[in-house]
Amino acid sequence: MIRLALASLRFRVGAFVATLVAVLIGCALLIACGGLFETALRLDAPPQRLAGAPVVVTGSAGFALPDQESQTVSYGERTRVTASLADTIRQLPGVAAAVPDTSFPACLTGSCGQGGTTGHGWASAQLTPYTLNAGRAPRDSGEVVLDAATAGRAGKAVGDRVDLTVAGEPRAFTVAGIAQPDDAVLGEAVFFGDADAQRYSPLPGMVDAIGVLPRPGVGAGDLAVRLTGALPADVTVLDGSARGAAEFSGIGASRLPLILLSSVFGGMVAVVMALVVAATVSLSVRQRLRELALLRASGATRRQVHRLVVAENLIVAALGVLGGILLGRFLGSWIFTITAQRGVVPAALEYRQGPVPFAAGVLLALLAAGAAAAVSARAAARTRPVQALAEASVQPATLGRLRRQLALVLGVATVGLAASAAFLDPDTASAIAGPSVLTGAVAVGLFAPELLVRGIDRSARFVRRIAGVDGTLAAIGVRTRAVQFAAVVTPLTLAVSFALGNVYAQTSRDEGAVDAYLARFHADAVVLSHTGAVPPSLLDQVRRVPGVAAASSFAASRGWVEQPYDGHGSDPRLVLGVDAPGVVATPVAAGSLDDLRGASAALPVAEADDLGVRLGDRITMRLGDGARAQVRGGGADRGRRPGRRRAAAHGTARAAHLGGTAHPDPGPRAVR
């Protein structure tokens, strides 16, 4: 049968090319998804600016859910530790030095946003390390050391004056030195004296990380273990490639999006590939019923015919898998690059694709192709020789009982999923969009023969009027061979439904999110900064502009109500910070937004009821940078119940408004 299968491939090129292309693309996508999954598990982001520190100590890695002690959700923002922790680390055995590091926006005035420049204290230069090419270290306030790239772009030398925008305000500094990193570093750097660095830091007294240098003879792994046992539980000790998480924010929060992307997309690819292969094999088998019937009449058993069809498609699938292996590497890297460019994951995260994704992709592709071929070959294997010869010309467009029942179940499931989306929140509705499209496409594929016959019968008069005799003959041909044409309908239905479903679902969700976000405020204009920070003095200037009725600082974060715990799960809620309630458009059910001062909060009615919180009660919130905020309930906004249309489309029932002093970063200014 293997020899016969190889010989028959030469005479069925068209059908087998379709199978080859489906398996090749499917295998390549599965390998790419496997690479994304491995990247999510590893989260390798090799350090650059902190590469000279074998061990790095930073803030908590994530929020430990009170009701699920084993589950920790990564913070989406940078977490910090107190600067005094460096003194504690220096006293531990095996530590040669502990160097604090902090980062803050600092750029050449007039070119902010072009070079990705950040400011740091000069002491942290040894963590890269940076080496002075000219000049000296900054000793006095107002002195800086520029890296070679920044100095070259600004055309500055030692002793020159340079204008830098720091903390949102332009200032003049003296270039004390020019430094060069020993290895390539992503982004440019400006180094200040340690006193200036603390002055310009967003949170004085806090540092982003502490680089730890071991004594001679002490390994980085051993030192990391010692530090983990000696330091408080709310700090994280990193070594190896994990140190990049302390340098680049959002590394830990990338795990869940990558896992969801690879799992959902990979599952859809496997199902679509199996359906396309099954449709192609089914069409090929039906076109060869006369040939297969002749084999049966010549003495071939059902098992032999079944093995022949499966062997033919597995040989083609093997060729497709070989091409998929070559394409999978480049396709996975390309998808990851697009994902990073869209901001889903940090650009510093490295794509990892070891042997496991290749093995898993090959295995799944062969299993999907083999299963599809095995199912499609059963029709040819079970047909009696005489009956097959009689039915080889015209196939009856009737569905079997099992196929009809399965199609009905999938059709009902599709309608139920689509109808329930109108009553669910946006995240849940988006999650069921893909499965509903898939079940609907499969249901159409199962019903395809009868749908074609009924469609031709109902449109015959219209086709005859529009296309004349040619259209009538075409309609008769499609109706007569509805079973064969049904194999073409299935992949077309899948392609069109997935394309339109994903496009419209994403655009609708984005538009709804923007509308909901804007509907929360009365602001007619927003003042932004390209420097990475807005100076606090700008708010008073905006309020003095003629025609401005109200202006407020604004900050956004994502966090949890920690006490009393809301049981919201792994998805943090949106937290908005304002200090002028006049810009807030949310209607109030109890209390007043005028009381939204200092450490106070306004919660949606549904959330307040779930938590059992009344006006004046105190709650503890955990923000996106790991900071705790003790706030007082100063009002309850009506929000929008999850059952209402705008809440289902925009998710505004998850919003909370936090007092202006609870979040350290003032952010942009909303102006009314």
Side-chain angles (χ1 to χ4, degrees):
M1 283 299 170
I2 300 298
R3 292 182 179 179
L4 186 59
L6 290 172
S8 64
L9 292 178
R10 296 181 300 171
F11 304 99
R12 302 290 175 183
V13 176
F16 291 128
V17 166
T19 302
L20 176 67
V21 173
V23 174
L24 188 150
I25 297 177
C27 181
L29 289 174
L30 288 175
I31 292 174
C33 291
L36 295 177
F37 194 85
E38 181 177 348
T39 302
L41 296 180
R42 291 178 176 270
L43 289 183
D44 286 342
Q48 299 178 18
R49 198 174 45 78
L50 301 179
V55 181
V56 177
V57 177
T58 185
S60 175
F63 176 60
L65 301 180
D67 59 343
Q68 302 178 33
E69 297 182 357
S70 61
Q71 184 175 1
T72 300
V73 183
S74 299
Y75 295 119
E77 303 171 25
R78 185 185 300 278
T79 58
R80 298 175 171 87
V81 295
T82 59
S84 60
L85 184 63
D87 297 330
T88 303
I89 296 175
R90 293 189 187 102
Q91 299 174 4
L92 297 177
V95 176
V99 183
D101 173 70
T102 185
S103 302
F104 51 89
C107 56
L108 294 171
T109 302
S111 61
C112 292
Q114 298 180 9
T117 312
T118 54
H120 311 277
W122 172 248
S124 65
Q126 62 180 304
L127 299 179
T128 305
Y130 277 85
T131 304
L132 282 170
N133 292 343
R136 56 172 176 80
R139 289 196 292 258
D140 301 325
S141 178
E143 294 183 340
V144 296
V145 170
L146 304 179
D147 71 346
T150 305
R153 187 159 57 90
K156 300 296 182 180
V158 175
D160 292 346
R161 300 288 289 179
V162 61
D163 293 328
L164 299 175
T165 299
V166 185
E169 296 183 357
R171 295 179 173 88
F173 295 87
T174 300
V175 179
I178 297 176
Q180 179 73 35
D182 289 0
D183 296 312
V185 175
L186 183 65
E188 301 174 2
V190 177
F191 294 97
F192 298 77
D194 292 338
D196 282 350
Q198 280 297 310
R199 183 182 305 114
Y200 300 137
S201 173
L203 290 174
M206 305 291 289
V207 295
D208 296 347
I210 299 174
V212 183
L213 305 179
R215 293 184 181 277
V218 179
D222 294 337
L223 183 58
V225 173
R226 296 181 190 178
L227 293 176
T228 302
L231 297 179
D234 59 347
V235 301
T236 304
V237 180
L238 305 172
D239 62 342
S241 61
R243 292 172 293 166
E247 182 176 345
F248 307 104
S249 61
I251 296 296
S254 303
R255 172 169 283 132
L256 183 59
L258 282 177
I259 289 178
L260 291 176
L261 175 64
S262 58
S263 301
V264 174
F265 188 54
M268 289 185 178
V269 168
V271 173
V272 170
M273 180 178 62
L275 290 175
V276 172
V277 172
T280 305
V281 175
S282 176
L283 178 60
S284 175
V285 168
R286 294 185 183 278
Q287 290 176 339
R288 301 169 56 193
L289 278 181
R290 190 182 298 275
E291 172 189 331
L292 297 175
L294 181 60
L295 287 176
R296 291 294 315 280
S298 301
T301 64
R302 293 183 177 180
R303 183 178 180 183
Q304 289 175 325
V305 173
H306 189 275
R307 288 174 56 191
L308 171 65
V309 176
V310 173
E312 291 173 347
N313 287 276
L314 284 180
I315 292 172
V316 176
L319 296 176
V321 164
L322 292 177
I325 293 175
L326 299 176
L327 181 62
R329 172 61 182 175
F330 302 100
L331 188 61
S333 179
W334 178 73
I335 292 176
F336 180 79
T337 301
I338 297 298
T339 304
Q341 291 176 350
R342 296 297 179 90
V344 178
V345 297
L349 189 64
E350 287 195 351
Y351 178 69
R352 298 296 187 185
Q353 194 176 41
V356 175
F358 286 92
V362 169
L363 181 61
L364 287 175
L366 290 177
L367 286 176
V375 172
S376 300
R378 293 174 60 187
R382 290 184 176 182
T383 304
R384 292 178 297 177
V386 177
Q387 185 179 11
L389 288 171
E391 295 181 356
S393 299
V394 179
Q395 300 288 319
T398 57
L399 303 181
R401 181 178 179 182
L402 179 60
R403 179 169 177 170
R404 184 183 299 277
Q405 291 177 348
L406 181 59
L408 289 174
V409 170
L410 292 176
V412 172
T414 301
V415 174
L417 290 172
S420 62
F423 305 97
L424 299 174
D425 60 89
D427 293 334
T428 306
S430 299
I432 68 173
S436 63
V437 171
L438 182 60
T439 56
V442 175
V444 171
L446 293 174
F447 271 128
E450 290 190 357
L451 290 177
L452 283 175
V453 172
R454 294 182 182 181
I456 292 298
D457 290 342
R458 293 181 179 275
S459 61
R461 184 177 301 175
F462 176 77
V463 171
R464 187 182 304 111
R465 184 181 305 171
I466 298 299
V469 178
D470 294 339
T472 302
L473 293 176
I476 294 174
V478 172
R479 192 188 188 288
T480 303
R481 300 190 177 275
V483 177
Q484 286 88 335
F485 281 101
V488 181
V489 171
T490 300
L492 288 177
T493 303
L494 284 170
V496 174
S497 59
F498 271 114
L500 294 180
N502 288 330
V503 169
Y504 282 109
Q506 188 63 42
T507 54
S508 300
R509 192 172 188 272
D510 291 345
E511 183 178 353
V514 171
D515 291 343
Y517 201 82
L518 296 178
R520 295 188 177 106
F521 305 101
H522 289 302
D524 300 313
V526 176
V527 180
L528 301 174
S529 172
H530 298 291
T531 65
V534 178
S537 59
L538 183 61
L539 180 59
D540 293 332
Q541 298 179 26
V542 171
R543 286 173 173 167
R544 290 194 296 267
V545 173
V548 174
S552 171
S553 60
F554 173 78
S557 181
R558 286 189 176 274
W560 300 263
V561 177
E562 186 175 9
Q563 184 63 39
Y565 182 58
D566 57 358
H568 188 51
S570 60
D571 296 329
R573 72 175 69 221
L574 178 64
V575 182
L576 305 177
V578 297
D579 58 10
V583 301
V584 179
T586 306
V588 178
S592 174
L593 292 181
D594 294 334
D595 297 330
L596 199 62
R597 305 188 191 93
S600 60
L603 298 175
V605 173
E607 301 294 337
D609 292 341
D610 293 340
L611 295 172
V613 175
R614 299 172 180 265
L615 290 177
D617 291 349
R618 301 194 69 82
I619 61 176
T620 302
M621 300 194 70
R622 179 80 69 157
L623 302 182
D625 60 354
R628 279 196 179 98
Q630 297 281 344
V631 298
R632 174 179 53 84
D637 63 68
R638 294 184 184 275
R640 294 181 176 92
R641 298 284 181 169
R644 298 186 182 181
R645 181 174 298 275
R646 287 185 64 87
H650 311 318
T652 56
R654 292 295 182 188
H657 303 288
L658 187 64
T661 62
H663 197 282
D665 186 3
R669 271 50 177 161
V671 183
R672 184 185 177 195

